[in-house]
């Protein structure tokens, strides 16, 4: 999803999405609002931060695992990537040449088209079938996709941004769309020491803080809200019970903000909860996948046990 795709939402739907969260007792803003153009640029910088181990660790794992995956799949097969705004991660798998078709699913249409143009140059033999949709909504693949075994791919631990019931629902839908002859490779950030997790979401250069506060910049610009940025600070918290990093924007004083005709009151210290990033022990994720009709056939982690890749297969039997 997010890599560098600007997710376009109509102004009215931005205001509606923001208001429905800001009127709750625990104020929230939906994480999908992060990814305007500036949010995508900041997320790109996050992936290169020394503290943000996820992207580089997953890349190293993918380089290692791709030939093993190719040996298992043998091919020909169709690579279906959920939330694919560029082909950087898919390239590890496409480079093995067992895939004869690639189906990237993403809401960012211009990015999908640019990707298809690049791949046409690099891999003229590869069939690229774009699916311009929210990966949460996909129940079936386009009919032009050849009826070959399907290899689903959901990298980046984006699954961690879904609450477990949503993640289960997503995995169930993917199970239906990919069919009985399939695999699903999912990148999942591991539960670990908060001393490693917290700096990844509150880095020394303040890039994650800027990413979080950009939500307010966006609301001011797109909905005419009047958030005073100096009145809100970024905070990352580890919620051990729920095994997730939470991002919040903390109000630094009592204040009233106008959003789409509503006066929203903030007490000093009150927060807007902006994102969850769930971290899974391998067995917890495997259990979630089982409930969604998958079986975790292989698990790969790096030596430092920072990140995991689960290779799922359809669960057979009851
Ligand atoms: C996109 N997603 C996997 C990121 C994460 O790590 O949860 C989003 C992010 N939020 C703050 N930093 C990165």
């Amino acid at each position: 999803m997010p890599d560098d795709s600007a997710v376009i939402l109509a102004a009215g739907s931005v205001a509606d999405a923001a208001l429905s969260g800001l009127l709750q007792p625990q104020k929230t803003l939906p994480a999908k609002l992060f990814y305007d153009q500036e949010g995508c640029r900041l997320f790109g910088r996050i992936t290169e931060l020394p503290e943000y181990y996820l992207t580089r660790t997953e890349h190293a794992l993918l380089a290692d695992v791709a030939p093993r995956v190719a040996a298992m799949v043998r091919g020909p097969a169709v690579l279906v990537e959920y939330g694919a705004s560029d082909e950087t991660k898919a390239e590890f798998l496409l480079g093995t040449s067992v895939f004869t078709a690639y189906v990237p699913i993403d809401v960012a249409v211009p990015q999908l088209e640019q990707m298809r143009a690049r791949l046409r140059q690099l891999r003229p033999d590869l069939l690229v079938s774009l699916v311009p949709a929210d990966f949460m909504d996909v129940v079936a693949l386009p009919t032009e996709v050849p009826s070959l075994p399907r290899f689903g791919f959901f990298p980046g631990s984006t699954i961690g941004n879904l609450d477990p019931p949503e993640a289960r629902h997503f995995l169930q839908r993917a199970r239906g769309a990919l069919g009985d002859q399939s695999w699903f490779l999912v990148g999942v950030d591991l539960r670990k020491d908060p001393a490693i997790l917290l700096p990844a979401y509150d880095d020394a250069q303040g890039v994650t803080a800027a990413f979080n506060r950009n939500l307010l910049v966006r609301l001011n610009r797109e909905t005419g809200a009047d958030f005073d940025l100096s009145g809100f600070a970024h905070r990352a918290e580890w919620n051990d019970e729920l095994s997730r990093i939470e991002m919040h924007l903390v109000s630094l004083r009592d204040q009233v903000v106008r959003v789409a005709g509503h006066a929203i009151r903030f007490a000093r210290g009150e927060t807007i909860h902006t994102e969850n990033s769930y971290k899974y022990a391998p067995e917890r994720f495997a259990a979630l996948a089982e409930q969604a009709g998958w079986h975790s056939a292989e698990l790969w982690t790096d030596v430092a046990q920072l990140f995991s890749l689960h290779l799922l297969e359809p669960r057979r039997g009851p």
Side-chain angles (χ1 to χ4, degrees):
M1 176 197 37
D3 292 32
D4 63 356
S5 60
V7 175
I8 321 278
L9 290 169
S13 69
V14 171
D16 290 349
L19 263 184
S20 65
L22 291 173
L23 295 171
Q24 301 297 319
Q26 166 62 67
K27 296 177 173 63
T28 62
L29 282 171
K32 68 177 175 193
L33 293 184
F34 279 128
Y35 300 101
D36 65 354
Q37 221 177 0
E38 178 63 0
C40 291
R41 190 189 71 77
L42 288 166
F43 182 69
R45 283 191 62 200
I46 288 174
T47 64
E48 289 165 6
L49 289 169
E51 296 95 331
Y52 196 79
Y53 57 85
L54 288 82
T55 311
R56 63 174 172 277
T57 310
E58 186 180 44
H59 282 191
L61 265 176
L62 282 170
D64 209 38
V65 153
R68 296 190 231 179
V69 163
M72 289 169 80
V73 173
R74 280 194 239 119
V78 179
L79 180 63
V80 181
E81 183 173 358
Y82 288 82
S85 57
D86 72 43
E87 66 281 24
T88 317
K89 291 176 183 172
E91 263 172 358
F92 289 100
L93 300 167
L94 291 174
T96 64
S97 74
V98 292
F99 298 105
T100 54
Y102 176 46
V103 184
I105 303 170
D106 203 275
V107 281
V109 178
Q111 277 75 9
L112 285 177
E113 275 163 3
Q114 286 160 19
M115 174 161 43
R116 177 161 58 189
R118 281 192 300 268
L119 286 167
R120 220 174 249 154
Q121 296 284 318
L122 288 168
R123 289 277 312 265
D125 53 321
L126 185 74
L127 172 81
V128 180
S129 173
L130 309 181
V131 179
D134 184 328
F135 60 78
M136 289 298 284
D137 298 336
V138 172
V139 286
L141 301 184
T143 46
E144 71 182 35
V145 175
S147 37
L148 293 168
R150 278 129 192 224
F151 190 95
F153 184 39
F154 192 35
S157 204
T158 302
I159 197 150
N161 296 129
L162 307 175
D163 286 337
E166 281 176 324
R168 195 180 308 117
H169 181 66
F170 163 73
L171 288 168
Q172 256 160 1
R173 282 208 161 170
R175 170 74 184 79
L178 294 170
D180 290 341
Q181 270 264 58
S182 63
W183 298 265
F184 200 10
L185 186 64
V186 187
V188 184
D189 196 18
L190 289 167
R191 183 180 161 91
K192 63 182 68 66
D193 188 341
I196 299 172
L197 284 167
L198 284 166
Y201 291 85
D202 194 5
D203 61 279
Q205 293 171 56
V207 182
T208 312
F211 175 73
N212 201 6
R213 284 149 52 105
N214 182 55
L215 277 175
L216 305 184
V217 178
R218 179 175 188 180
L219 292 184
N220 284 353
R221 187 186 59 242
E222 292 186 25
T223 74
D226 62 356
F227 283 98
D228 172 1
L229 291 208
S230 69
F232 290 88
H234 166 68
R235 187 200 284 162
E237 285 171 19
W238 170 242
N239 183 328
D240 190 58
E241 197 190 334
L242 297 177
S243 197
R244 70 187 191 195
I245 287 282
E246 296 179 1
M247 293 211 312
H248 293 260
L249 288 162
V250 188
S251 176
L252 297 175
R253 52 175 188 267
D254 293 345
Q255 54 186 317
V256 179
V257 180
R258 293 209 69 85
V259 182
H262 290 253
I264 314 282
R265 278 170 206 287
F266 288 89
R268 183 164 175 261
E270 189 180 355
T271 75
I272 310 174
H273 186 171
T274 53
E275 188 182 54
N276 291 318
S277 197
Y278 285 83
K279 310 298 171 186
Y280 287 93
E283 58 283 4
R284 283 297 285 270
F285 187 77
L288 187 81
E290 286 277 335
Q291 291 164 8
W294 294 99
H295 165 69
S296 179
E298 292 279 349
L299 167 74
W300 293 290
T301 65
D302 54 300
V303 270
Q305 301 276 297
L306 295 173
F307 200 87
S308 63
L309 286 174
H310 282 258
L311 183 65
L312 309 178
E313 285 178 349
R315 187 160 56 77
R316 317 276 171 207

